[in-house]
Amino acid sequence: MKIDGIILRELHLPLVRPFETSFGVTRDRRILLAEVRSEGLTGWGECTAGERPFFSGESTDTAWQVLVNELGPMLANESPDHGGECPRIFYQVRGNPMAKATLENAIWDLEAQREGISLAQLLGGVRETIPCGVSLGIQSSIPELLAIIEKELAAGYQRIKLKCKPGWDVKVFEQVRNRWPGIMLSCDANSAYLLRDADHVVSFDAFDLLMIEQPLWADDFYYHSMLQKRLNTPICLDESIGNRRDALAAIEMESCKIINIKLGRVGGFSEAIAVHNAALERGIPVWCGGMLESGIGRAHNIALSSLENFSLPGDVSASARYWREDIIEPEVTVTPQGEIALPDAPGRGYEVRVDLIERLTVRKEAIRAFELVG
Ligand code: OSB
Ligand code: MG
């Protein structure tokens, strides 16, 4: 496929409600989109980097820089037939997985359109519906959190994940479990605990959690392995898993029993499939994480979640939980059973609302092959 043009955009999208994690509060998203044109078709990719480099070292601004100056020109100089060629094309650029995924995922979208099949089919997906959970941020009080949980359970969501940190953990789990003894409940610390908190984290075993996500450092396997030996509850790694080798190391060391796969964090669909397969072959279930994506990233998450080993409910939920108006048509909706139905149209399966995107755009830049230097 000859690349006819790459357009990068930054959109400002306010969240319906602020999202608080152990590393900070997000109110407005600065969403970076790549539009890749080839032979009359348009593929879209979304960068999942945060506004600040707190979840990982990347941010909207670092990704913009790397896309405009390095990855965009590299891709524009090639004519990839498959999204799977992108890791080779981007090989010289170290790190920056979220920037890389932005373009790679757009190429997979293009490829599926060219083949006239859904993105899920192209990826090797086998599910017609995916099970959904919600990730609930830290709230200002426990009664507020309980009211939100009540609403999400009524909407059908199959699993509730609570963001936690020291001071917002056991007393919260206790009240949630008192009220709903049987629900599928998990927590996500985003690296909020230290080794000296190990006894405290072990006390989470009392709450019958499905998993404890990323309790320790974002780059760690060893101490998670030590902690997992002391826990009955499975640890799930998110931040620590950047690629297939990481997944193999974590599984081998028993640093976790479950893996969260995020497209941006692992650098795109190729590596996400590789992590998925490594986990499948070793009996480790996976689920698809979320990064407060707009509809484009969400559509990609849905397609990925159709792979066989995505057996646990993911953090992929309805558009309306995040946005007053999403940039895709139709918006993502969840059934009363807490599932999203896979679209079957070619490519991502959701139309992109280009007029709305144009109105929300605050920065735009066209990338061309001849801009490559060095
Ligand atoms: O750790 O899963 C995480 C959001 C931003 C950064 C990190 C995480 C999250 C979420 C939100 O949990 C998931 C979502 O609803 O998109
Ligand atoms: Mg997480």
Side-chain angles (χ1 to χ4, degrees), residues 111-371:
E111 183 184 348
Q113 292 177 49
R114 187 196 66 203
E115 298 302 312
I117 58 174
S118 71
L119 181 55
Q121 258 180 292
L122 180 66
L123 300 173
V126 296
R127 295 171 190 278
E128 283 173 9
T129 61
I130 60 165
C132 305
V134 288
S135 172
L136 302 182
I138 293 164
Q139 306 295 319
S140 40
S141 72
I142 295 180
E144 272 174 70
L145 175 68
L146 298 181
I148 295 170
I149 296 174
E150 187 161 23
K151 198 180 98 219
E152 303 295 8
L153 290 172
Y157 286 104
Q158 297 181 22
R159 184 226 60 200
I160 301 291
K161 164 172 136 182
L162 305 176
K163 288 293 186 178
C164 66
K165 64 177 183 181
W168 184 266
D169 49 32
V170 288
K171 68 176 200 285
V172 178
F173 306 152
E174 203 159 19
Q175 297 218 26
V176 174
R177 263 298 175 233
N178 264 339
R179 177 114 172 244
W180 293 283
I183 61 168
M184 218 190 269
L185 186 68
S186 70
C187 70
D188 183 0
N190 291 110
S191 304
Y193 298 96
L194 300 169
L195 277 189
R196 64 165 174 263
D197 304 316
D199 289 343
H200 178 63
V201 175
V202 168
S203 78
F204 296 4
D205 268 345
F207 305 104
D208 190 27
L209 302 176
L210 180 65
M211 68 190 94
I212 300 171
E213 188 176 340
Q214 199 75 38
L216 304 173
W217 301 273
D219 58 358
D220 172 74
F221 300 118
Y222 177 76
Y223 293 103
H224 280 98
S225 165
M226 295 297 113
L227 181 60
Q228 181 69 86
K229 288 189 206 310
R230 299 189 52 200
L231 279 165
N232 293 322
T233 309
I235 289 177
C236 170
L237 290 179
D238 173 355
E239 285 90 328
S240 292
I241 306 295
N243 52 46
R244 174 184 158 90
R245 281 180 300 99
D246 287 342
L248 294 175
I251 294 167
E252 182 74 21
M253 292 173 72
E254 296 180 57
S255 307
C256 66
K257 295 179 178 167
I258 296 174
I259 293 175
N260 164 332
I261 300 182
K262 286 180 177 165
L263 278 168
R265 198 195 64 223
V266 303
F269 280 120
S270 308
E271 199 65 28
I273 294 168
V275 172
H276 164 275
N277 293 348
L280 174 66
E281 288 155 13
R282 289 158 185 81
I284 299 291
V286 305
W287 54 278
C288 184
M291 291 293 285
L292 311 174
E293 288 93 343
S294 80
I296 291 167
R298 198 164 298 279
H300 290 169
N301 287 343
I302 292 167
L304 179 68
S305 304
S306 71
L307 299 188
E308 176 183 355
N309 196 31
F310 282 84
S311 52
L312 295 169
D315 280 347
V316 184
S317 52
S319 297
R321 294 191 62 252
Y322 305 84
W323 321 113
R324 236 168 35 78
E325 213 180 3
D326 203 345
I327 59 173
I328 54 165
E329 175 84 25
E331 297 200 335
V332 174
T333 55
V334 169
T335 68
Q337 290 72 43
E339 295 177 328
I340 294 172
L342 265 291
D344 44 29
R348 82 194 84 78
Y350 297 84
E351 291 298 327
V352 170
R353 298 177 63 187
V354 180
D355 291 348
L356 177 58
I357 286 176
E358 197 61 48
R359 264 190 283 138
L360 297 168
T361 297
V362 296
R363 178 154 63 147
K364 185 171 171 179
E365 192 159 332
I367 298 167
R368 280 186 195 81
F370 59 74
E371 288 170 20

